Amino acid sequence: MAYETLIVEIEDYIALIRLNRPDALNALNSKLLSELAVALGEADKDDSVRCIVITGSEKAFAAGADIKEMSEKSFVEMFGEDFFARESDAIMRTRKPIIAAVSGYALGGGCELAMACDFIIASDTAKFGQPEINLGVVAGIGGTQRLTRFVGKSKSMDMHLTGRFMDAAEAERSGLVSRVVPAKDLLTEAKKAAAKIAEKSMLTSMAVKECVNRSYETTLREGILFERRVFHALFATEDQKEGMAAFLEKRQPQFRDR
Ligand code: CO8
């Protein structure tokens, strides 16, 4: 499918979704977010996709929600259309693993989009921030909740209250990103990570996502019970038999997503 605000390439079981509004530093408008929701839905259904990478440009992953589109809206419009709710929930409905490959600015909704992915690989030029306070609003796609869980209350409050940006080194130190790589290697490294994931059983990858994400939604005791039940349930799959047999036979497993 052709998109106006995205470039989507599928190769070697990886769907690379590139945000593409270069004139606006990939600001997230309704068009882009609804196209992203469609692209994620398509990738989730497509058997030739086993991992998704979302990226932007060298200068900006995304500089936030589109301020021009929002600035004149009324409360009645925002509430009435439940602004960005359906579009931004799409990422949480995606069952296949999603990596955010972030270079340059990931601000406001851009930072929130990256955090909604399963993990973030950042280039050494990445800058994260929740500067909504400078616009007289708060984050609206999960920033106050997710950033706090990633980096703790003190740093999250600092970021949201001062609107300052965090560089890649600080983001790695504080657990916001899983790794930092040189800017020129960002896509290669993200694709390498995606290729590793693509080798695994898709059933198991989806189970991992459900288990890790459950830790945000429930108590420790319930989360551990959920994980144990998923662990037990995977013994009903051929991929568990194959994975364990391959280990014992000292060979690579051939997973078939069954
Ligand atoms: N929205 C719209 N246009 C933008 C945005 C944006 N968020 N960010 C940059 N642009 C545009 C600029 O207006 C400019 O366009 P033009 O050339 O037509 O004037 C172009 O991109 C280039 O930007 P700059 O000239 O400003 O580039 P600089 O290199 O000087 O600065 C910055 C880069 C620092 C990233 C700067 O552009 C900036 O501060 N951008 C805004 C960052 C921001 O405040 N983001 C938060 C937005 S609010 C938000 O994300 C809320 C999300 C919640 C949604 C809730 C739904 C329920």
Side-chain angles (χ1 to χ4, degrees):
M1 175 169 165
Y3 298 98
E4 253 176 59
T5 61
L6 306 175
I7 299 170
V8 180
E9 290 160 16
I10 297 173
E11 199 184 353
D12 297 335
Y13 296 107
I14 301 164
L16 176 67
I17 301 179
R18 201 187 282 270
L19 312 181
N20 186 38
R21 294 191 66 214
D23 296 342
L25 299 184
N26 294 332
L28 309 171
N29 61 5
S30 310
K31 182 83 191 167
L32 186 150
L33 282 178
S34 51
E35 288 193 343
L36 183 59
V38 172
L40 289 170
E42 294 290 312
D44 225 19
K45 279 190 294 195
D46 185 340
D47 287 341
S48 71
V49 174
R50 303 178 66 79
C51 190
I52 299 163
V53 176
I54 301 181
T55 195
S57 67
E58 222 176 293
K59 180 163 183 192
F61 178 73
D66 192 312
I67 301 167
K68 284 177 201 145
E69 183 181 65
M70 288 184 297
S71 64
E72 294 302 324
K73 283 194 184 278
S74 66
F75 167 76
V76 171
E77 287 173 295
M78 292 300 256
F79 180 69
E81 63 194 65
D82 207 0
F83 191 71
F84 281 176
R86 218 170 335 101
E87 297 89 336
S88 57
D89 285 352
I91 200 153
M92 292 195 294
R93 286 195 297 273
T94 307
R95 300 188 72 204
K96 291 180 180 166
I98 310 176
I99 301 173
V102 175
S103 187
Y105 296 111
L107 305 177
C111 184
E112 294 171 296
L113 172 62
M115 290 192 290
C117 295
D118 295 315
F119 63 97
I120 303 174
I121 299 182
S123 87
D124 49 12
T125 64
K127 290 177 209 60
F128 297 88
Q130 297 289 165
E132 289 90 341
I133 193 148
N134 299 327
L135 304 168
V137 288
V138 298
I141 318 179
T144 58
Q145 306 305 298
R146 287 204 177 93
L147 188 64
T148 308
R149 284 163 162 86
F150 278 111
V151 305
K153 177 183 166 187
S154 187
K155 206 176 270 290
S156 176
M157 281 286 192
D158 176 1
M159 303 288 295
H160 286 282
L161 288 173
T162 66
R164 79 174 174 88
F165 300 165
M166 191 191 269
D167 66 17
E170 184 180 4
E172 186 178 34
R173 235 178 15 250
S174 48
L176 176 57
V177 309
S178 72
R179 30 183 142 154
V180 177
V181 299
K184 64 174 180 26
D185 302 331
L186 178 67
L187 274 190
T188 314
E189 291 300 322
K191 283 184 186 172
K192 260 196 232 164
K196 267 262 163 266
I197 292 169
E199 288 170 4
K200 319 289 184 210
S201 160
M202 186 52 64
L203 288 178
T204 321
S205 297
M206 293 190 307
V208 167
K209 277 188 67 155
E210 289 193 9
C211 288
V212 174
N213 286 331
R214 186 57 67 108
S215 72
Y216 285 110
E217 309 291 347
T218 191
T219 61
L220 180 61
R221 185 181 283 267
E222 287 299 322
I224 288 171
L225 179 60
F226 180 81
E227 178 196 79
R228 189 181 303 138
R229 289 293 173 249
V230 171
F231 180 81
H232 293 160
L234 288 170
F235 282 73
T237 67
E238 289 177 18
D239 284 345
Q240 172 270 324
K241 298 287 174 285
E242 168 62 11
M244 293 194 181
F247 175 81
L248 295 172
E249 291 159 17
K250 302 189 189 303
R251 60 174 173 83
Q252 287 302 310
Q254 298 296 319
F255 292 121
R256 298 169 66 206
D257 305 333
R258 292 183 187 175

